[in-house]
Amino acid sequence: MAAFNILVLPGDGIGTEVMAEVERLIDWFNGQGIARFEVERGLVGGAAYDAHGEAISEETMAHALASDAVMFGAVGGPKWDGVPYDKRPEAALLRLRKDLGLFANLRPAICYPALADASTLKRELVEGLDILIVRELTGGVYFGEPKEIVDLGNGQKRAVDTQVYQTYEIERIARVAFELARTRRNKVTSSDKKNVMKSGVLWDEVVRDLHRRDYADVQFEHILADNCGMQLVRAPKQFDVIVTDNLFGDMLSDVAAMLTGSLGMLPSASLGAPDEKTGRRKSMYEPVHGSAPDIAGKGIANPIATIASFGMALRYSFGLGEWADKLDVAIANVLDQGLRTRDIMQPGMREVSTTQMGEAIARELAALGG
Ligand code: IPM
Ligand code: MN
């Protein structure tokens, strides 16, 4: 039986509540003898700052580097608004992404049939939606230098962020997008702002080149990022895989999330390059939503994004794709049965707590597995 080390970092706010539902599933997989998951837990974000004065300790970073997968909840909250910039909760997330080399961020937006009416868009626009945003995660304006605010001494300040990409960074993320498209509807849309940005000109050149050389069988389109945002709310089903940079990917994936009914539904996987010897990739899995301090501690958060993120771990890190499929079916079935957390509650449905939703999905999975 394959053994894997999982580092669980629940973080802040609803992070701890939704992650408890993933731990329930991990225990179930262990109990069934489907895999052997060794779980380590750590603090991250505000919780780590309160304990050690850092958003993530060196010890936890070392555990992350040694793990097969990190399960990340969410970080941040008003309590830490005043902490120094380099110690803010988000700094931990950015450091994990950077130091683990997690350049490929996969953000699928799937509209479960039962939720087609929960979206703010009309049913016919989102019913059956299944798109995948492939976001570059370790480059661009998030990490480019210089990144600073300079006091000009005349009562003015100047703030600088740097958008920078090299050929290899664009090529490796585009390769991930083309490979994944081949397993889906075989279409890639590349999004940038080449009409105003040099980094966009290079982005487009590199992606087109790679397409011509290695992926001519995949349908390819270019779209400017502003138009992409518009098209996502106008006719989202035209897309299959969208590949884009770190900042545009951040924004476009929030837009895509709302197509699915709630931000509480969107999972993500962040992957590094495969290890030359073992073939294993460093990886981290996290819901796209944040720590939602306004509803933390109430037991009403939607655990589906985090559970579906664990499903992505089953697929991409643990070689358990058939269990990932079963988990997706379990989620769809529970929604079909009318169970809803508050964020996706609709008339005539049954409102359940975070724990009840987690239990129902685990029960459904057990039924499918048996
Ligand atoms: C996300 C988040 C992060 C990002 C924040 C918390 C730093 O919005 O994962 O989309 O901007 O990447
Ligand atoms: Mn975001």
Side-chain angles (χ1 to χ4, degrees):
M1 194 196 318
F4 300 97
N5 297 310
I6 306 179
L7 175 64
V8 174
L9 300 176
D12 307 318
I14 61 168
T16 53
E17 298 167 50
V18 294
M19 198 55 81
E21 301 314 313
V22 165
E23 292 216 46
R24 179 195 307 285
L25 289 173
I26 292 174
D27 289 345
W28 183 81
F29 276 92
N30 279 338
Q32 295 291 306
I34 296 162
R36 212 172 75 235
F37 295 129
E38 308 275 359
V39 175
E40 213 38 276
R41 285 177 203 83
L43 298 176
V44 72
Y49 181 80
D50 288 347
H52 323 288
E54 296 286 348
I56 187 163
S57 69
E58 294 308 319
E59 192 193 344
T60 306
M61 273 309 301
H63 283 155
L65 281 160
S67 69
D68 293 298
V70 177
M71 289 299 312
F72 188 99
V75 291
K79 182 176 175 197
W80 302 285
D81 278 350
V83 309
Y85 186 75
D86 61 324
K87 297 182 192 307
R88 73 200 191 287
E90 292 81 0
L93 181 57
L94 298 180
R95 179 160 178 213
L96 281 162
R97 290 173 179 173
K98 193 67 175 176
D99 288 8
L100 268 59
L102 308 175
F103 68 89
N105 184 213
L106 279 41
R107 298 190 160 185
I110 292 168
C111 183
Y112 290 93
L115 291 189
D117 290 318
S119 172
T120 45
L121 273 76
K122 293 194 191 84
R123 165 179 272 275
E124 58 269 28
L125 287 191
V126 296
E127 199 171 19
L129 180 81
D130 177 5
I131 63 181
L132 175 65
I133 296 186
V134 176
R135 167 188 176 192
E136 199 289 325
L137 203 61
T138 52
V141 76
Y142 273 63
F143 298 99
E145 295 286 347
K147 189 177 196 61
E148 61 190 8
I149 300 177
V150 182
D151 198 326
L152 300 177
N154 58 354
Q156 296 288 306
K157 293 179 182 176
R158 187 179 63 223
V160 187
D161 291 285
T162 305
Q163 165 81 343
V164 51
Y165 273 109
Q166 291 187 42
T167 306
Y168 79 94
E169 296 176 284
I170 302 169
E171 185 167 314
R172 68 183 177 180
I173 190 71
R175 198 174 282 289
V176 169
F178 284 121
E179 290 289 338
L180 286 167
R182 278 181 176 162
T183 70
R184 301 167 45 95
R185 297 189 302 283
N186 211 33
K187 178 176 169 187
V188 169
T189 306
S190 175
S191 190
D192 57 52
K193 279 288 286 178
K194 66 174 175 174
N195 54 348
V196 285
M197 296 169 80
K198 287 291 179 189
S199 56
V201 172
L202 182 65
W203 184 279
D204 186 52
E205 198 177 290
V206 173
V207 178
R208 274 178 205 277
D209 237 40
L210 180 68
H211 175 244
R212 208 171 309 124
R213 258 186 292 132
D214 293 348
Y215 298 97
D217 57 298
V218 181
Q219 193 191 338
F220 175 74
E221 268 175 14
H222 172 268
I223 190 167
L224 292 171
D226 51 346
N227 187 18
C228 189
M230 187 269 277
Q231 294 295 338
L232 271 173
V233 290
R234 193 188 75 88
K237 284 190 258 180
Q238 69 185 286
F239 297 110
D240 179 18
V241 176
I242 296 173
V243 63
T244 189
D245 78 12
N246 206 342
L247 184 61
F248 296 139
D250 181 44
M251 298 190 292
L252 294 174
S253 60
D254 263 30
V255 175
M258 270 321 288
L259 307 175
T260 68
S262 164
L263 202 48
M265 300 296 297
L266 212 69
S268 82
S270 304
L271 308 175
D275 181 277
E276 278 177 22
K277 280 194 219 105
T278 64
R280 286 190 184 184
R281 294 168 179 272
K282 295 247 177 302
S283 63
M284 180 160 77
Y285 299 87
E286 54 172 310
V288 172
H289 65 70
S291 58
D294 52 321
I295 61 162
K298 295 186 179 160
I300 58 171
N302 185 347
I304 293 179
T306 310
I307 291 174
S309 298
F310 180 65
M312 294 186 83
L314 294 173
R315 191 181 309 282
Y316 294 110
S317 288
F318 308 141
L320 294 170
E322 71 186 273
W323 284 99
D325 292 341
K326 284 183 187 174
L327 186 53
D328 286 340
V329 173
I331 293 169
N333 287 355
V334 166
L335 293 171
D336 281 342
Q337 290 155 18
L339 271 59
R340 299 284 188 275
T341 42
R342 188 165 301 172
D343 56 307
I344 48 174
M345 185 58 190
Q346 292 162 288
M349 302 292 145
R350 183 154 79 84
E351 187 174 326
V352 297
S353 68
T354 308
T355 310
Q356 287 169 325
M357 181 59 93
E359 281 169 354
I361 292 169
R363 233 181 356 254
E364 195 63 31
L365 181 69
L368 289 165

